Amino acid sequence: MLRFGAVSYLNTKPLVETLEQRLTDWGTLRLDLPSRLAADLASGDLDVALIPSVEYFRNQSNYAIVSDAAIACRGPVWSVRLLSRVPMPEIRTLALDEGSRTSAAMAQVLLSEMHGIRPQTVPFPIGSDAAELDADAVLMIGDRAMHPPRGTYKEIWDLGDRWCRWTELPFVFAMWVARREVVENSDQLKRIDLALNASRDDGAQCFESIAIREAADQGLTNEDLHRYFAENLHFHLGPGERAGLSLFRKKAEAIGLVPPLPTASNPNA
């Protein structure tokens, strides 16, 4: 039995809609926090996991991307925002949502590239109030970004929109990854790939029903959540997404957020 893990966030729902049924008799699925999934994949407690791109970068020589199902955006993403009380070039302190390391790296890369700044970072704990933070700017993801707090902000960035405008490439938040030894057998790799892609395709046909099921708990209307899945998110890892992933890795490495890639490794493996 192969052990699969996926992040337990709203944006993952379309990717795992029918996955448990497709893994019957040969795999199990566990939903958990991104940091736990990354740790368990690295330790061997999981065989395949949907992990944030930054976590993939941190152990890339030992990992292989096993599906073209992914969580990405090709424009505004809505659920990842940077809110600043000062003009962006004047940010000195940045509070980072503890729920996402990839979005935290994305924010720092954009501020470095677009304004040449490296703010001091402080935590923005889950469950805390942005108004109580003594920071120039705050990174919010998920529900907190979709319902930003009222306050005096000089600038608000949708980070998906900023990345895509700046790079003219998509941004990849997470993808399905396995330890290389797990997929040395080509038949096993094909079986994994088919199951993950089929579940993604099933989910794409179920945006409306997923929205009806999940919207109330998120404080969203069915229409808003359906639009989020259909317009803000992109679930295919195509050539443009791989190019965006490679550029993100290069820029994150340049400012010390991920370790250097061994020369022999292929960033798109």
Side-chain angles (χ1 to χ4, degrees):
M1 296 287 282
L2 289 179
R3 299 158 299 174
F4 289 71
V7 291
S8 53
Y9 290 166
L10 183 62
N11 58 11
T12 308
K13 302 295 183 182
L15 293 183
V16 299
E17 181 67 5
T18 62
L19 186 55
E20 281 191 290
Q21 297 94 299
R22 292 184 175 279
L23 297 179
T24 301
D25 299 331
W26 66 279
T28 60
L29 175 64
R30 172 164 63 89
L31 301 180
D32 211 332
L33 297 174
S35 58
R36 291 178 186 168
L37 295 176
D40 287 349
L41 184 65
S43 69
D45 291 329
L46 284 173
D47 300 306
V48 183
L50 181 71
I51 62 171
S53 54
V54 160
E55 300 294 353
Y56 166 67
F57 297 152
R58 288 173 179 159
N59 205 7
Q60 192 167 340
S61 60
N62 297 319
Y63 289 162
I65 298 174
V66 295
S67 169
D68 70 1
I71 299 172
C73 72
R74 291 180 166 182
V77 70
W78 188 24
S79 56
V80 183
R81 294 188 185 184
L82 182 63
L83 299 87
S84 182
R85 299 182 174 100
V86 300
M88 292 293 179
E90 298 177 14
I91 295 174
R92 297 295 176 263
T93 53
L94 171 62
L96 297 175
D97 194 309
E98 291 186 333
S100 175
R101 297 175 187 176
T102 291
S103 296
M106 181 188 193
Q108 291 174 86
V109 164
L110 286 171
L111 289 172
S112 175
E113 289 291 319
M114 297 179 71
H115 295 300
I117 59 173
R118 290 297 311 279
Q120 176 187 353
T121 60
V122 297
F124 178 18
I126 295 171
S128 63
D129 188 341
E132 299 172 356
L133 296 173
D134 184 20
D136 294 330
V138 181
L139 171 72
M140 295 183 184
I141 69 164
D143 180 53
R144 294 201 289 195
M146 290 173 161
H147 304 284
R150 294 179 180 178
T152 303
Y153 296 102
K154 296 284 188 181
E155 294 189 56
I156 299 177
W157 282 3
D158 179 304
L159 290 192
D161 183 54
R162 290 287 167 168
W163 171 271
C164 295
R165 287 176 181 271
W166 171 64
T167 66
E168 298 184 345
L169 290 170
F171 188 84
V172 179
F173 292 95
M175 55 274 183
W176 287 105
V177 169
R179 298 190 317 283
R180 291 188 182 274
E181 64 267 22
V182 172
V183 291
E184 288 177 347
N185 182 296
S186 60
D187 289 338
Q188 178 148 283
L189 173 58
K190 183 177 180 179
R191 190 179 194 185
I192 292 169
D193 178 44
L194 288 173
L196 296 175
N197 289 358
S199 181
R200 182 268 320 280
D201 294 343
D202 290 341
Q205 299 300 314
C206 299
F207 286 161
E208 184 175 0
S209 60
I210 298 173
I212 292 170
R213 185 181 71 220
E214 303 287 342
D217 287 343
Q218 304 296 325
L220 300 170
T221 67
N222 296 349
E223 292 78 11
D224 281 344
L225 187 48
H226 183 280
R227 191 178 303 113
Y228 175 59
F229 290 143
E231 299 179 9
N232 295 109
L233 297 179
H234 184 72
F235 296 102
H236 290 260
L237 187 67
E241 284 72 30
R242 287 181 179 267
L245 189 65
S246 180
L247 180 63
F248 180 43
R249 195 214 190 289
K250 178 181 177 182
K251 297 300 184 181
E253 179 185 328
I255 59 175
L257 298 178
V258 299
L261 185 67
T263 305
S265 294
N266 179 354
N268 290 326

